[in-house]
Amino acid sequence: MFVAHSLRNGLLAKLVVREVTERRLNRECFRGVQLNVAGNFLRWNSVNRLFHDKEVVRRFLAEIEYRWSIQDFNTHSVSITLSTYVGWESTVERARYSDEDLEHFETKNPNTGKKVWGLRVMLARKDILAPRTRKLTIVYNLKSERSDAVAIVEGLYPGIDVGEPEGDFTQRTNRICFDWNHPGE
């Protein structure tokens, strides 16, 4: 996916989602707007639709314009709070749940191959629903190419930014996880 927008300062901002990233996101968080499960979007059914949402584009372009103004060409993430629900959280504050509701999990980060572990809501606890969220996190790499701002989107998900998953997730973030097939409210 590729779209270009002019910023207020006359700069051209190019938003890029590589094909491999788009395929991964379709499997992870664009699984159908009717599927109420943790980590899934309900507002959009594709990367393309998300980046044609005027509210998302306006807020994301403001972020790019700011990063450009301070010449901060790196990988960034931004959590944007939108006017309506966007999907279901896959992580929540640890304090919201008792030890009896939680179990240990281990997995590997699909992007880095690093081991990740922590606490999650028990798979059998279908009565504890993943909460809906108005927050959208976008992880992107900002580059300057031919005097244009190029934002290469590396990841998207409903909810707040929790950083790159590695090590003891719960200890690092003070959050717990929902399995991606766990029902949402």
Side-chain angles (χ1 to χ4, degrees):
M1 188 220 64
F2 171 85
V3 290
H5 296 276
S6 294
L7 300 178
R8 290 176 296 171
N9 62 6
L11 179 71
L12 186 63
K14 298 175 180 177
L15 310 181
V16 177
V17 181
R18 293 186 177 114
E19 191 175 321
V20 66
T21 303
E22 195 166 349
R23 281 194 309 268
R24 177 178 51 80
L25 292 171
N26 284 337
R27 285 189 316 271
E28 293 175 355
C29 55
F30 293 105
R31 295 177 278 166
V33 295
Q34 301 303 319
L35 185 61
N36 301 14
V37 293
N40 195 38
F41 285 113
L42 66 81
R43 185 165 165 174
W44 314 280
N45 62 7
S46 69
V47 170
N48 191 43
R49 294 237 192 240
L50 184 145
F51 282 110
H52 281 86
D53 183 309
K54 290 178 182 177
E55 185 179 17
V56 171
V57 170
R58 178 178 52 79
R59 303 282 299 279
F60 188 42
L61 291 177
E63 163 76 6
I64 292 169
E65 193 167 34
Y66 167 72
R67 294 290 178 188
W68 180 272
S69 75
I70 61 173
Q71 300 291 288
D72 190 355
F73 304 112
N74 289 298
T75 299
H76 302 283
S77 71
V78 58
S79 290
I80 301 169
T81 303
L82 298 167
S83 60
T84 61
Y85 289 112
V86 301
W88 293 272
E89 289 269 7
S90 60
T91 72
V92 292
E93 302 86 14
R94 165 67 179 94
R96 291 177 65 177
Y97 301 95
S98 70
D99 290 342
E100 294 78 36
D101 299 330
L102 304 175
E103 64 187 5
H104 180 77
F105 78 93
E106 281 188 26
T107 190
K108 283 190 178 179
N109 180 324
N111 300 325
T112 65
K114 292 183 180 180
K115 197 171 169 183
V116 182
W117 64 92
L119 296 173
R120 71 176 171 205
V121 171
M122 292 177 138
L123 296 176
R125 293 299 310 267
K126 304 296 187 197
D127 59 312
I128 300 175
L129 303 176
R132 287 186 298 170
T133 182
R134 296 176 194 268
K135 292 190 183 298
L136 161 67
T137 293
I138 304 172
V139 180
Y140 68 100
N141 188 345
L142 183 63
K143 299 178 180 239
S144 174
E145 293 183 2
R146 298 187 190 110
S147 300
D148 295 333
V150 178
I152 301 168
V153 175
E154 304 292 341
L156 300 164
Y157 53 91
I160 68 163
D161 178 26
V162 293
E164 188 68 40
E166 63 182 42
D168 188 335
F169 175 82
T170 302
Q171 183 179 23
R172 181 176 60 82
T173 64
N174 204 28
R175 295 178 75 80
I176 56 96
C177 298
F178 284 95
D179 180 82
W180 281 23
N181 290 313
H182 202 94
E185 60 182 26

